[in-house]
Amino acid sequence: MSGHSFNAHGVWAIYRFEMARALRTLWQSLVTPVITTSLYFVVFGGAIGSRMQTVDGVGYGSFIVPGLIMMSLLTQSISNASIGIYFPKFTGTIYELLSAPVSAMEMVLGYVGAATTKSVILGLIILITAMLFVPLPIAHPFAMLAFLVLTSVTFSLFGFIIGVWAKGFEQLNFVPALLITPLTFLGGAFYSISMLPQPWQTISLFNPVVYLVSGFRWSFFDKGDVSVGISLGVTALFMILCLSVIAWIFKTGYRLKS
């Protein structure tokens, strides 16, 4: 790839193609998560909120919003990015991509960029939906957006890895369903981990989702389960890890060329 100048056109082509695919499945990619979130509000906010008024001085309905947004963000980022790269593998068009004058980094930029865009838009739509249900102060709007983007990028990268690794559709759904949903539920999306008895409080700290939810919640209410610096650090670390794995995938051609 020596002398390869940045192929903005190639990146844009992949990005545009992926965004167009999202528009075709608009109902699925946007409406379904919003309806699901609204149901969570009705069920969790209504049923539990009536019994548990506040958590750390924040109304329960408002308290669960960052967790709900994170849950949609993680699952959508992973599924968008994994399906994006899995389809060309599945249909065989990946070979055209690999032989095109597009570097590995540009390919990742296109796919991950599109998946991130979709997730951020989705996150903001859920946020606006939530504001119809509950009062929602945003103490640190820039931090909130930064967390939104950082989480979307990180988990789109993670989704990209899963899309390359998956040999079938069931493997694509396997990780979000068996890993992300339980981790989010156990990651303080619907409660503060300070409510948990020991040793569960300590065990929770090994769950990366705790740091995401906590940092994101801090941007709203100025309080989280762990310090915001640690939240950012853990997220950035996971992002670097994903980037390293992707670099290795392209270097070795792991499951791309076979």
Side-chain angles (χ1 to χ4, degrees):
M1 273 319 201
S2 59
H4 176 93
S5 62
F6 182 71
N7 184 349
H9 182 74
V11 174
W12 177 238
I14 294 174
Y15 179 85
R16 214 176 46 208
F17 177 80
E18 283 299 296
M19 291 309 284
R21 196 170 56 79
L23 285 172
R24 284 198 301 275
T25 57
L26 193 68
W27 184 255
Q28 202 184 340
S29 33
L30 286 182
V31 182
T32 316
V34 170
I35 292 173
T36 316
T37 310
S38 306
L39 284 173
Y40 270 115
F41 266 113
V42 175
V43 175
F44 277 92
I48 302 175
S50 57
R51 291 179 173 75
M52 188 162 66
Q53 308 285 291
T54 60
V55 180
D56 294 341
V58 177
Y60 186 71
S62 307
F63 179 84
I64 62 173
V65 173
L68 277 176
I69 295 176
M70 272 294 155
M71 191 149 90
S72 300
L73 216 57
L74 300 188
T75 46
Q76 290 299 314
S77 298
I78 289 175
S79 75
N80 278 329
S82 61
I83 289 168
I85 188 64
Y86 178 77
F87 263 114
K89 262 179 52 186
F90 181 66
T91 54
T93 48
I94 188 86
Y95 300 112
E96 291 165 30
L97 258 176
L98 291 170
S99 59
V102 182
S103 72
M105 186 191 80
E106 289 158 0
M107 203 163 135
V108 173
L109 260 179
Y111 281 111
V112 171
T116 301
T117 307
K118 288 183 244 181
S119 300
V120 170
I121 292 170
L122 178 74
L124 294 172
I125 289 174
I126 293 174
L127 181 61
I128 294 160
T129 311
M131 286 174 165
L132 303 174
F133 288 93
V134 288
L136 206 57
I138 303 177
H140 309 279
F142 290 114
M144 189 273 290
L145 281 171
F147 266 108
L148 203 62
V149 174
L150 188 65
T151 307
S152 300
V153 170
T154 304
F155 280 82
S156 296
L157 289 166
F158 185 52
F160 188 89
I161 294 169
I162 291 165
V164 171
W165 163 80
K167 281 186 167 166
F169 283 101
E170 54 286 338
Q171 281 187 332
L172 274 185
N173 302 322
F174 169 81
V175 176
L178 270 175
L179 192 70
I180 299 303
T181 309
L183 282 181
T184 314
F185 270 99
L186 300 171
F190 301 110
Y191 56 86
S192 164
I193 61 169
S194 60
M195 295 173 161
L196 295 176
Q198 284 294 12
W200 298 109
Q201 249 186 57
T202 311
I203 291 168
S204 292
L205 295 175
F206 290 96
N207 176 353
V209 178
V210 165
Y211 299 92
L212 299 171
V213 173
S214 171
F216 197 50
R217 188 171 280 139
W218 170 85
S219 71
F220 284 89
F221 312 120
D222 212 8
K223 45 172 79 105
D225 285 325
V226 288
S227 92
V228 67
I230 296 174
S231 285
L232 269 172
V234 169
T235 314
L237 203 68
F238 188 57
M239 185 171 160
I240 293 163
L241 185 72
C242 289
L243 281 168
S244 317
V245 173
I246 289 174
W248 172 82
I249 284 172
F250 278 104
K251 204 171 154 190
T252 59
Y254 171 78
R255 286 202 181 170
L256 280 177
K257 300 188 171 127
S258 53

